[in-house]
């Protein structure tokens, strides 16, 4: 399944065996034999990232009673980083859904039951009804679902205690998210948008993974239906791309309401608080970009992006200053990372994620640009795999396309440094011969972990970076 996050999950048998005694011979001793009456497995909520403690059910891809094959997607789960399709590890029947769409379950708790045969479905439903596991919390049922960001997610299965809502669903053969028995798979934001724009999801063709309906599909359908004021369908903006500065149009905010964090917003909040425990400092530098701008104009038609150029320049500078690419996690030691993986901040609806350009120092600029475009597309579709966003060794954050000339970035936990890039703007400067001239310059500010990286380290790194950017022929080698 290309472009779709997949996770195989082993599920243990529920204790549903009976023990019967048999006589061995006339007056012989009795011996016990165990006979399994049914094979009913719990499907658990998996840990889709190292920081995930709970996950939200975005949508059930299959309905109760459906026959499943090993490796088939069953449910889409929103983790703290992305949406992922979860696969079953066994053949069988989806007997009972225990956590409904929009509800939350703790990692390791059960969200559904899988029966080996169709005859065992009633027993599984009975067990689901009597389950008392407190894993699910119906957040979405209590408050409107805000635009929820998530990039690619593997599937996860588990069985939390069913709420009255899920008990009712177990009795019906048609899942609530279906129309006339046909499954309608859409992201939470797409569903909310469809309701606000009065668009029937059954008439919308999904462009997401496995035909999932995403926000832009709903917006497009609304624009066609209302041949008047079209709905803005500007995609989520990469913080380091200059193309979509505007966020997608969203329904009016209800002032005075309290809105709970999405899973991703909760993760961002946790990381930001954690970063306060790291002693950081900042160093700024002014870099002339005339040569880089000229190079970009020459090779832009070949698919090269400015983000890739900045990432490549940064990576090449880091090869000469490995301490700036290092990281300290335990406060007692630090690691000289063996790879230079440049994470670039990308803003998506309701959150932030950092796709990673791995081995950026070794990949040519054209391949790096293609990879970046692929990562951005996957981030917008919430289809990034964990290894594509959680192994960065140095981070870039660019607000230049918004006209921001300088800013400070917060250091992501577990990394040594992050560089904030401002806009390149014409500046009046003095030339070497004492004359006045105009050059394009940008401000960069690096925030670093002072336990590992010192001021002289950053100053030397920034000098090297400036030389590469001001004479960028090395970027296309």
């Amino acid at each position: 399944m290309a472009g779709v996050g997949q996770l195989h999950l082993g599920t243990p048998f529920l204790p549903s065996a009976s023990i019967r005694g048999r006589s061995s011979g006339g007056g012989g001793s009795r011996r016990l034999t165990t006979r399994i009456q049914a094979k009913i497995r719990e499907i658990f909520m998996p840990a889709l990232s190292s920081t995930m403690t709970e996950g939200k059910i975005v949508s059930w891809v299959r309905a109760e009673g459906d026959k499943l094959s090993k490796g088939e997607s069953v449910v889409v789960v929103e983790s703290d980083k992305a949406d992922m399709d979860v696969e079953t590890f066994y053949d069988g029947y989806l007997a009972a859904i225990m956590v409904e769409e929009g509800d939350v379950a703790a990692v390791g708790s059960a969200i559904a039951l899988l029966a080996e045969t169709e005859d065992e479905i009633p027993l599984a439903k009975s067990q689901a009804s009597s389950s008392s596991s407190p894993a699910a919390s119906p957040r979405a049922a209590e408050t409107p679902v805000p635009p929820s960001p998530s990039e690619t997610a593997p599937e996860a299965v588990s069985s939390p205690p069913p709420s009255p809502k899920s008990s009712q669903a177990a009795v019906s053969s048609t899942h609530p998210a279906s129309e006339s028995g046909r499954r309608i798979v859409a992201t939470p934001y797409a569903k909310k948008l469809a309701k606000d724009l009065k668009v029937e999801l059954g008439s919308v063709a999904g462009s997401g993974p496995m035909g999932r309906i995403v926000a832009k599909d709903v917006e497009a359908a609304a624009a066609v239906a209302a041949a008047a004021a079209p709905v803005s369908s500007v995609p989520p903006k990469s913080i380091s791309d200059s193309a979509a500065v505007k966020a997608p149009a969203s329904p009016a905010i209800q002032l005075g309401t309290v809105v709970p964090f999405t899973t991703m917003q909760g993760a961002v909040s946790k990381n930001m608080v954690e970063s306060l425990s790291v002693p950081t400092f900042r160093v700024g530098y002014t870099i002339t970009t005339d040569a880089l701008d000229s190079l970009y104009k020459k090779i832009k038609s070949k698919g090269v992006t400015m983000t890739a150029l900045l990432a490549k320049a940064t990576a090449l500078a880091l090869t000469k200053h490995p301490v700036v690419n290092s990281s300290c996690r335990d406060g007692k030691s630090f690691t000289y990372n063996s790879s230079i993986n440049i994470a670039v901040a990308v803003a998506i609806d309701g959150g932030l994620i950092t796709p990673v350009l791995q081995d950026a120092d070794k990949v040519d600029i054209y391949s790096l640009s293609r990879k970046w475009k692929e990562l951005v597309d996957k981030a917008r579709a919430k289809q990034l795999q964990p290894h594509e966003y959680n192994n960065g060794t140095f981070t870039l954050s660019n607000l230049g396309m918004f006209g921001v000339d300088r800013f400070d970035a917060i250091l992501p936990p577990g990394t040594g440094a992050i560089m904030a890039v401002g806009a390149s703007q014409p500046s009046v400067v003095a030339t070497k011969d004492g004359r006045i001239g105009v050059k394009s310059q940008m401000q960069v500010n690096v925030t670093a972990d002072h336990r590992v990286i010192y001021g002289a380290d950053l100053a030397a790194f920034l000098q090297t970076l400036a030389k590469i950017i001001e004479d960028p022929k090395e970027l296309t080698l």
Side-chain angles (χ1 to χ4, degrees), residues 104-125:
V104 175
V107 169
S109 62
I111 57 176
L113 296 181
L114 182 72
E116 186 175 49
T117 66
E118 197 168 7
D119 294 338
E120 294 162 353
I121 293 178
L123 176 59
K125 286 186 175 182

Side-chain angles (χ1 to χ4, degrees), residues 37 89 158 233 250 398 440:
Q37 291 181 325
F89 195 68
S158 88
S233 59
S250 59
N398 185 355
S440 293

